Amino acid sequence: MSQARRSARRVALLGLVAFAVYGSWAAFANRGHGLDAALRALFVQGCSSAFVTSTVAGVIEWAHARLPRTRTSALLSVSSGVLFAAAFHTGLNLAVGTPEVLRTVTVPILASALYAGSYVTTLRALDRSRA
């Protein structure tokens, strides 16, 4: 299987996992506002997380394939992913009227930071192991 195909499969799988995990978190965080609000938060945050996770992974994969393996490029990949996640999640949840926006987006944003950092670290480790 080609590197591009493996990369695309990783990105898609990570998006599906993000939908399930962060959609469930959003439903839990909004459970006190009734079933309709919890389900809306689940759907919105699940879709948002799937999109953001896939986008961040795609950007990291793209940058990793094209930029030199320096700390600066790694930091740029991680920070751009986190800023994108924070802006997208917050804006979308505000737009749809999620009652507990801060509670809903805090965990996914913090997880985005850990995810982006570990994703870059893992790709760099894979490079070293192949060399």
Side-chain angles (χ1 to χ4, degrees), residues 56-100:
V56 170
V59 167
I60 289 171
E61 292 270 354
W62 179 88
H64 185 77
R66 287 161 184 81
L67 297 177
R69 306 300 190 267
T70 65
R71 286 189 175 146
T72 302
S73 63
L75 183 59
L76 179 64
S77 294
V78 171
S79 60
S80 64
V82 173
L83 290 173
F84 173 72
F88 191 83
H89 289 318
T90 302
L92 184 60
N93 279 284
L94 285 170
V96 300
T98 300
E100 298 288 342

Side-chain angles (χ1 to χ4, degrees), residues 17-124:
V17 170
F19 179 92
V21 170
Y22 298 115
S24 297
W25 165 254
F28 176 78
N30 288 278
R31 71 193 182 286
H33 296 279
L35 184 59
D36 286 345
L39 290 175
R40 183 178 58 230
L42 180 148
F43 181 73
V44 169
Q45 189 60 47
C47 290
S48 175
S49 292
F51 175 73
V52 167
T53 299
S54 299
T55 301
V56 170
V59 167
I60 289 171
E61 292 270 354
W62 179 88
H64 185 77
R66 287 161 184 81
L67 297 177
R69 306 300 190 267
T70 65
R71 286 189 175 146
T72 302
S73 63
L75 183 59
L76 179 64
S77 294
V78 171
S79 60
S80 64
V82 173
L83 290 173
F84 173 72
F88 191 83
H89 289 318
T90 302
L92 184 60
N93 279 284
L94 285 170
V96 300
T98 300
E100 298 288 342
V101 173
L102 186 58
R103 244 187 222 163
T104 300
V105 302
T106 299
V107 170
I109 292 169
L110 292 174
S112 292
L114 293 172
Y115 161 71
S118 61
Y119 202 95
V120 168
T121 302
T122 300
L123 288 176
R124 292 176 75 165

